[in-house]
Amino acid sequence: MSSTALSRPAFAQGDDSFAFDFDSFSARMKDLAAGPHAPIIPEIAPAFQSLDYDAYRLIQYRAERSKWADDPAGYRLQAFHPGWLYTEPVKVFEIDGGTASLVHFGADDFLYHDVAVGDAAQGEFAGVAGLRVNYPLNSPDAPLDELVSFLGASYFRALGRGNIYGASARGLVVNSWIDLPEEFPHFSEFYVEKPEAGGPLTVYAAMESPSVTGAYRFVIQPAHDGAQETTMDVTARLYFRTDVKEVGVAPLTSMFLYAEANRGGFDDYRPQVHDSNGLLVERESGEIMWRALNNSAWLGNSYFAETNPKAFGLYQRGRDFETYQDAGAHYERRPSVRIEPQGAWGAGMVRLIEIPAKLEADDNIGAFWIPAEPALAGESREYSYRVVWGDLDPENNPAMAYVAETRGGVGGVSGVENAASLRKFVVDFKGGELDALPPGTPLDVLATVGGGVMRNSVLSRVDANGAWRLVMDVETEPGATVELKAYLVGLGRKLTETWLYQWRPNA
């Protein structure tokens, strides 16, 4: 199998070993941005061009061929085979003692369950599709778990202890779902520092697109010392070739098909299907906003103006099997992903995109930070942030009650015919000081409705589970998007997260 390119941002062409450090690597990416973009033109065997999802999964990396297989640090480096959606060759280098050396991958590293496909693969590859690293994340005595993977464009994902893959992250978003074509920057080279026992894994990546280049550093700390979460400390140095109308920093991608507020259009035995069910934004003031996700027939766009946000992320709330009833997908084990900006990011917006989806195979949710100032040609920017992968259960914040569930349906009184324009929204709050409130404690509901009229609201405690349930009937207008906001106040202070929701009618 062979793969060549007319041009690529490789700084090691013709030299398998060379000195490497992040600053000189960044300088080379900056120099690259000063010239025109030269797209990679791969040549890949027809047998791999025609692979579909199922056929691609029949190609597996041989565990015994893992790099660092005998290293006591416990990390094992593997590669993804070129083919299917991944035809652009990616180079992988190992850094040891400040020297980067090309890691050679070839047909002997892979197991081909389809013999005909295997016959088309011969010798050493000019590049692979991406990389992954395994690690004893859950038990030192069990087979190694996949800790992190980088595959496709600038996508990557990781796991906390006990998780399985769900939401993903990306290096950068350029002009997503606006009036310009979206670019998909890709990681063209990886530099993986050989780890030490007990230490983190450090990965560097070269990013390339028509509008921007980038030098990335990921310092990955697997869950350890009793913690459930895996963390990544990311440094992204960006160099712009052209003006960019909208740059999305620290982007996240996930899937939300349906839950208790929108399951009416899905004939499915499972109560909920999603990798994430809410966008969480923690403001500089300390306010925590929970925007429940939606999936309707209309594209959803929401912008949350923020200055120096503490965090934002796509979260999966609901950690018991009964919530999903899926013994194969196990959505209760999908990780939440939290972005924690390091340093002052200034003014900007957290943008949430909700793309209509009919299948759970479609990643239809995007969230990222948009700086207030558009990027200009010749400009350099640096962003540092932490990415946290894990359950991130809200019960771990004892001071603040959280949104446990968002439900919706036909408004009005049950058992009688109600106006079609009346919509019911039900929000359950749990945890924090709410759980310990003595009977009769007065609570106030602060709620607003945009694009509709609040006709009725009732707050009561549900004896069966201890949740405080807010029920709202909202009068809507045909075709109007409704923006809702609510939280609870008592004891002279705010007691809950701020619940947000955007309801988009299907007709």
Side-chain angles (χ1 to χ4, degrees), residues 10 78 80 86 88 99 110 117 158 169 211 289 298 381 406 448:
Q78 301 181 358
F80 289 100
Y86 315 113
E88 294 180 343
T99 298
F110 293 89
V117 172
S211 296
M289 301 190 300
W298 298 1
R381 294 190 182 185
T406 300
T448 60

Side-chain angles (χ1 to χ4, degrees), residues 421-432:
S421 60
L422 200 60
R423 187 77 182 169
K424 190 180 297 293
F425 299 95
V426 180
V427 187
D428 285 354
F429 295 96
K430 296 184 70 174

Side-chain angles (χ1 to χ4, degrees), residues 39 105 140 207 211 234 269 272 283 291 341 387 419 430 445:
F105 294 101
M207 194 186 69
S211 296
V234 182
Y269 74 93
Q272 302 189 31
R283 312 187 75 178
R291 166 59 158 80
V387 191
K430 296 184 70 174
V445 177

